[in-house]
């Protein structure tokens, strides 16, 4: 019973008088007791709930950070993938990527230009569709052996590799292989270069070289080239025969030391005085009407020499030397000199006799 409600104590609802015990309690005592309980419950609840809220907020913060980091990583991966695809797509060579079973998983636009297949037509196809039928069986074995020992490999030109266009045309290729390890396994990337034009240009150079060689070999005089070090770069057949050498044996040899080391009287011929050397050093033509080249057997060959600087653009790269054997001319000059001296002696004797 709380003070303030004493008029109802001991009386029931019907108005009959009943015995009872009246207790007088101050309201502040009850409120204080209840307040203490409430405070204790509040403190206990706060001690439980606040850490839970802290853990919840910390977990949400970690999840948000992880989500942001994951999105950033995904963006970086996407950027790297896009960059890789752009590099592959705009590569100057045809790029073909195959899985371990030899199925094509990626190709670039240059592959379409070379082989004639669109990317969607190649994906999922075995790489052997791009190999001539006469090589396709052996190619499977080559591919399997490469997968067993992968690495960077440039296929040798001497292997005479060929590709197969969509229309069935074979063409020469140069291939570089590399292995690309990924989480899904190793992939093989092949860079394929169409060698049709380079091979044609090489064949044309060889043809022109043979024609020039035939032209040089058909001349009666000797012709040879020298680099800036005075070493022979080529010599025609007539020149080699006059000097007693094989044409291949002269290439790379220093021509002054080999054939022009001495003067006609046998004394040393200094390099600084050599007209061949002077023509290159001064970059001007030089002609010597009487000189000597020394043969392989050590005998002297009287020659007339003409030296011309060899230019590549405006830069002197060496010299071209032409020479002719003047042995017959020297003999004719000597015979003429003897005849002239004999005629002069005869005339003098005749004059003396008549006197």
């Amino acid at each position: 019973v709380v003070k303030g409600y004493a008029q109802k104590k001991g009386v029931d609802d019907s108005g009959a008088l009943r015995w009872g015990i009246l207790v007088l309690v101050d309201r502040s005592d009850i409120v204080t007791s209840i307040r203490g309980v409430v405070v204790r419950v509040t403190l206990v609840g706060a001690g439980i709930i606040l850490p839970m809220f802290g853990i919840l907020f910390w977990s949400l913060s970690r999840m948000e950070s992880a989500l942001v980091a994951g999105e950033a990583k995904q963006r970086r991966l996407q950027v790297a993938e896009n960059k890789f695809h752009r590099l592959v797509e705009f590569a100057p060579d045809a790029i073909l990527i195959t899985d371990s079973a030899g199925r094509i998983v990626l190709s670039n636009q240059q592959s379409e230009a070379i082989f004639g297949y669109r990317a969607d037509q190649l994906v999922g196809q075995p790489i052997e569709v791009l190999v001539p039928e006469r090589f396709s069986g052996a190619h499977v074995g080559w591919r399997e052996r490469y997968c067993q020992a992968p690495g960077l490999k440039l296929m040798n030109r001497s292997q005479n590799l060929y590709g197969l266009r969509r229309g069935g045309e074979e063409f020469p290729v140069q291939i570089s292989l590399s292995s690309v390890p990924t989480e899904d396994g190793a992939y093989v990337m092949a860079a394929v270069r169409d060698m049709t034009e380079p091979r044609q240009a090489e064949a044309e150079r060889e043809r022109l070289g043979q024609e020039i060689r035939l032209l040089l070999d058909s001349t009666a005089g000797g012709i040879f080239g020298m680099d800036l070090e005075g070493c022979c770069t080529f010599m025609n057949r007539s020149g080699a025969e006059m000097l007693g050498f094989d044409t291949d044996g002269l290439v790379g040899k220093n021509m002054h030391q080999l054939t022009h080391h001495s003067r006609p009287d046998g004394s040393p011929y200094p390099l600084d005085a050599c007209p061949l050397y002077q023509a290159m050093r001064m970059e001007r033509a030089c002609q010597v009407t009487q000189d000597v080249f020394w043969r392989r057997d050590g005998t002297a060959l009287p020659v007339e020499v003409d030296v011309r600087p060899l230019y590549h653009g405006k830069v002197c790269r060496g010299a071209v030397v032409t020479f002719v054997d003047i042995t017959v001319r020297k003999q004719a000059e000597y015979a003429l000199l003897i005849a002239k001296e004999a005629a002069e002696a005869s005339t003098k004797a005749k004059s003396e006799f008549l006197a």
Side-chain angles (χ1 to χ4, degrees):
V1 180
V2 179
K3 183 179 179 180
Y5 298 89
Q7 67 274 17
K8 291 186 178 182
K9 63 186 176 183
V11 182
D12 60 11
D13 295 336
S14 62
L17 180 64
R18 301 295 184 205
W19 292 100
I21 299 175
L22 300 177
V23 179
L24 182 63
V25 179
D26 192 355
R27 181 185 299 181
S28 62
D29 293 338
I30 296 177
V31 172
T32 300
S33 177
I34 294 174
R35 184 179 297 163
V37 173
V38 172
V39 170
R40 285 194 294 273
V41 171
T42 302
L43 291 175
V44 171
I48 295 174
I49 294 174
L50 288 178
M52 291 180 64
F53 274 108
I55 294 173
L56 179 61
F57 288 137
W58 178 79
S59 299
L60 291 175
S61 177
R62 289 290 302 274
M63 290 176 63
E64 183 178 4
S65 299
L67 182 61
V68 171
E71 292 177 348
K73 182 178 180 181
Q74 186 66 27
R75 286 194 298 270
R76 289 195 299 270
L77 290 175
Q78 187 65 41
V79 170
E81 184 177 355
N82 292 339
K83 184 181 295 185
F84 171 76
H85 279 285
R86 288 179 64 85
L87 290 174
V88 170
E89 192 64 23
F90 293 99
D93 298 330
I95 302 297
L96 299 164
I97 298 180
T98 64
D99 59 17
S100 58
R103 293 185 296 269
I104 299 172
V105 298
L106 181 67
S107 65
N108 65 349
Q109 60 183 5
Q110 192 64 18
S111 299
E112 180 179 352
I114 291 179
F115 292 101
Y117 292 94
R118 297 193 312 271
D120 59 334
Q121 295 175 322
L122 285 177
V123 172
Q125 295 292 328
I127 190 66
E128 280 73 29
V129 300
L130 305 177
V131 178
E133 185 177 356
R134 57 196 175 104
F135 297 125
S136 59
H139 187 270
V140 175
W142 298 339
R143 172 169 53 78
E144 292 177 350
R145 285 193 294 273
Y146 175 81
C147 290
Q148 294 173 359
L152 182 62
K153 184 176 182 180
L154 176 63
M155 308 299 285
N156 197 332
R157 288 182 57 191
S158 62
Q159 293 176 288
N160 293 324
L161 303 176
Y162 289 89
L164 182 66
R165 303 191 201 276
R166 185 180 181 183
E169 177 191 356
E170 295 185 12
F171 63 102
V173 295
Q174 185 181 61
I175 303 176
S176 299
L177 298 177
S178 60
S179 178
V180 183
T182 68
E183 295 178 354
D184 300 328
Y187 290 83
V188 178
M189 182 168 67
V192 183
R193 178 170 297 180
D194 186 351
M195 297 298 291
T196 301
E197 292 185 1
R199 293 285 177 85
Q200 290 175 347
E202 182 179 1
E204 181 64 14
R205 287 194 298 269
E206 291 180 356
R207 185 188 67 81
L208 291 175
Q210 290 177 355
E211 290 186 357
I212 293 173
R213 170 59 65 180
L214 291 174
L215 179 63
L216 292 174
D217 288 343
S218 64
T219 59
I223 304 175
F224 66 89
M226 296 189 305
D227 60 20
L228 293 176
E229 301 299 324
C231 296
C232 179
T233 56
F234 72 89
M235 179 173 285
N236 69 339
R237 184 179 303 168
S238 295
E241 290 176 353
M242 281 190 283
L243 296 173
F245 291 94
D246 296 328
T247 53
D248 295 336
L250 286 169
V251 175
K253 301 293 181 61
N254 186 285
M255 295 304 293
H256 182 79
Q257 297 176 0
L258 189 67
T259 65
H260 207 218
H261 47 77
S262 302
R263 297 181 185 276
D265 60 2
S267 60
Y269 204 153
L271 180 63
D272 292 341
C274 174
L276 284 63
Y277 176 76
Q278 291 293 331
M280 291 188 297
R281 189 173 69 86
M282 304 299 294
E283 297 186 16
R284 63 186 183 188
C286 178
Q287 185 175 18
V288 183
T289 56
Q290 292 189 25
D291 206 338
V292 168
F293 280 167
W294 295 90
R295 297 188 180 94
R296 186 176 185 178
D297 60 7
T299 58
L301 173 68
V303 292
E304 179 178 333
V305 184
D306 187 84
V307 187
R308 304 284 172 169
L310 180 63
Y311 291 95
H312 182 75
K314 296 183 179 181
V315 180
C316 181
R317 297 297 188 184
V320 176
V321 181
T322 59
F323 64 96
V324 293
D325 184 354
I326 60 172
T327 301
V328 175
R329 191 180 78 186
K330 293 282 290 184
Q331 291 174 348
E333 290 175 352
Y334 181 73
L336 182 61
L337 178 61
I338 295 299
K340 182 180 178 181
E341 291 178 351
E344 291 177 351
S346 176
T347 301
K348 182 179 179 180
K350 182 178 180 180
S351 298
E352 291 176 352
F353 175 76
L354 293 174

